[in-house]
Amino acid sequence: MSDTHTTQYHFYSNSYSKHNSILSMNSMILFLCIATVCCAAFQPQHTLPLAFAGFGGGGGGGNKGKGKSKGKGKGKKKKQNKVAPNNNHLFTPEGRMDHIKARIAAADLSPIAKLSLSRTTDGQLSLDVDPNNMVVIDNFLGNELITSMRAEAESLLPTLVPSQSTRWDEETQSIISYEKKGVLSTQIEGGTVGYEKSPRLVEYIVTLTSHLSAKSNQILPDAYHLSGDEQTNKLAVCLGDGSYYDKHIDNLGGSNDDSSADDLGDRRKLTALLYIQPPGSHDGQPNYPNESIDDDSRGGYFRAYDVPENDMTTCIAPRGDRLIMFWSDSLVHDVSPSYVNGDNDRRWALTIWFVADKKKGVIRPSDVTVEEKHFGGSSLNAIGGKG
């Protein structure tokens, strides 16, 4: 990646730096040491596994087959006990991962494939995937699993560090580093020790990376294909007192056109953000897409800015067990100031960035119109050489 690109993605991304690694699934051996079951996992700076001892992993076939077996098993036990099968299978790593696979299989991902007219680099109009596409799925994992993931996140709180970012400073006319107010974060990296600290967070990252990417690739054009064995992630918490995220695009750095190069730049293509709030955190409030930051004084709303011409803002509450997906290289968004009345109000979010497939995937080039509209012309002249 060029120096300009590096500067750009530092500037526009409040959630990533060039020092954060893409985790490679093939080299992450995760030991799921529950009873006598030992499964594969990930090491720092590399990825999560596609296969685990005793059960299959990776690829679209896993979703399909697992969905059949889950349905068949549920049917057999239905008359005996309608609740016990679900509770029991969440007691084991295999059961929890099977549960996540089934939830992915049932998810409607079609909104991210919606097409619209977009302008190409030479000024021509072309039919392409809409850069503002979003998927919002409520009750994604279920109360029991999201509650246990929340407990794991809270247990990691003492190990989190102030979340660092960079921004353009108008007064000094330069890029400055700063700590986000009241925001702490860490990268979930795993290994034996990491898994012991947060097994359910690790299992979620492993399963979502391989299975959601496979399902997405079935409905998306080649340029939007995702790697099934690489990702990067961040667990972050807003402690309140007005903590917020500045307006940004997760990845405006682009990537190297030379596919043979070792450094392909910032390849993050699709963002999947899971709110691990307590279940029922926003019960009784309007549902997506009719939400407003005025609905809840606790704030912490995700705000998506439709670009480049609609001048509209979509507000999304940090509702517990809500999954949000959007294009990392195009959607302008921020987080409204967050306030808390107690520990249960802390805004926890686990973000996974799916990266573009090395052979097929393409990162959108920086859109000058979008940059000027949302970030101003002076900073672009200094940072990106555009104006």
Side-chain angles (χ1 to χ4, degrees):
M1 179 183 292
S2 69
D3 292 339
T4 299
H5 281 153
T6 301
T7 301
Q8 284 181 326
Y9 79 70
H10 269 291
F11 174 48
Y12 292 113
S13 172
N14 288 327
S15 50
Y16 184 82
S17 77
K18 65 181 179 180
H19 303 294
N20 281 13
S21 62
I22 289 179
L23 307 177
S24 163
M25 305 275 288
N26 294 332
S27 57
M28 283 186 155
I29 306 299
L30 163 67
F31 296 99
L32 306 183
C33 299
I34 304 290
T36 60
V37 180
C38 198
C39 306
F42 51 83
Q43 298 295 339
Q45 309 301 325
H46 297 290
T47 338
L48 321 171
L50 294 179
F52 295 76
F55 55 101
N63 291 342
K64 195 178 296 182
K66 200 57 67 180
K68 290 181 179 178
S69 62
K70 180 178 171 68
K72 192 180 295 182
K74 188 174 180 181
K76 287 182 179 179
K77 297 183 180 181
K78 187 174 180 180
K79 293 183 179 180
Q80 298 175 7
N81 192 323
K82 294 182 179 180
V83 177
N86 286 334
N87 290 342
N88 289 340
H89 79 229
L90 294 179
F91 290 155
T92 67
E94 180 179 359
R96 290 191 292 268
M97 295 177 76
D98 283 349
H99 173 77
I100 297 169
K101 292 175 192 176
R103 300 307 301 146
I104 294 170
D108 179 11
L109 304 185
S110 60
I112 62 170
K114 180 182 175 183
L115 301 178
S116 69
L117 283 174
S118 62
R119 197 170 297 279
T120 61
T121 54
D122 60 1
Q124 300 298 312
L125 288 176
S126 174
L127 191 63
D128 195 6
V129 171
D130 191 325
N132 298 311
N133 286 346
M134 297 186 66
V135 169
V136 178
I137 301 174
D138 285 325
N139 307 312
F140 181 52
L141 299 177
N143 286 355
E144 184 169 347
L145 185 52
I146 206 70
T147 298
S148 58
M149 291 173 68
R150 170 77 177 206
E152 289 184 358
E154 289 283 355
S155 73
L156 295 175
L157 184 59
T159 68
L160 269 60
V161 298
S163 192
Q164 299 281 336
S165 191
T166 56
R167 63 176 173 81
W168 178 256
D169 183 67
E170 290 291 342
E171 183 176 344
T172 62
Q173 290 291 292
S174 64
I175 296 173
I176 62 172
S177 298
Y178 74 101
E179 291 183 359
K180 296 178 194 172
K181 178 184 176 182
V183 181
L184 304 177
S185 65
T186 190
Q187 187 176 40
I188 303 296
E189 293 183 329
T192 304
V193 175
Y195 180 74
E196 289 175 353
K197 291 180 179 178
S198 56
R200 289 160 184 80
L201 299 182
V202 168
E203 292 158 2
Y204 169 78
I205 293 170
V206 170
T207 311
L208 206 75
T209 299
S210 60
H211 289 268
L212 193 142
S213 60
K215 181 169 181 175
S216 299
N217 289 347
Q218 293 175 359
I219 62 172
L220 291 167
D222 286 357
Y224 295 84
H225 275 206
L226 309 171
S227 170
D229 58 7
E230 293 178 296
Q231 53 78 31
T232 190
N233 68 76
K234 179 175 285 188
L235 175 68
V237 59
C238 290
L239 299 177
D241 195 26
S243 52
Y244 68 97
Y245 285 55
D246 284 322
K247 190 184 292 185
H248 66 284
I249 295 174
D250 282 355
N251 180 6
L252 202 56
S255 62
N256 196 320
D257 292 332
D258 182 4
S259 59
S260 64
D262 292 332
D263 182 8
L264 295 178
D266 188 347
R267 291 169 48 221
R268 292 177 301 158
K269 184 68 178 178
L270 184 71
T271 303
L273 186 160
L274 178 70
Y275 288 121
I276 43 182
Q277 309 299 77
S281 59
H282 289 74
D283 283 354
Q285 295 182 10
N287 293 319
Y288 174 81
N290 302 310
E291 297 168 323
S292 165
I293 59 173
D294 296 327
D295 295 334
D296 192 333
S297 61
R298 293 173 296 180
Y301 277 67
F302 180 99
R303 295 185 294 195
Y305 297 84
D306 292 334
V307 292
E309 64 271 336
N310 293 336
D311 289 323
M312 295 179 64
T313 305
T314 300
C315 296
I316 304 174
R319 193 182 298 269
D321 201 15
R322 166 173 276 179
L323 179 70
I324 303 175
M325 295 169 53
F326 56 91
W327 296 113
S328 311
D329 57 356
S330 61
L331 186 74
V332 179
H333 60 285
D334 66 11
V335 174
S336 70
S338 174
Y339 302 90
V340 301
N341 300 316
D343 292 353
N344 283 343
D345 287 342
R346 290 178 183 142
R347 181 189 183 276
W348 283 95
L350 177 56
T351 301
I352 297 176
W353 286 283
F354 293 82
V355 301
D357 182 275
K358 287 183 179 179
K359 295 181 179 179
K360 296 180 178 180
V362 176
I363 301 299
R364 288 184 179 93
S366 301
D367 187 318
V368 177
T369 304
V370 173
E371 294 175 21
E372 290 180 346
K373 174 169 179 162
H374 293 285
F375 306 108
S378 61
S379 60
L380 293 174
N381 291 333
I383 295 176
K386 301 170 184 175

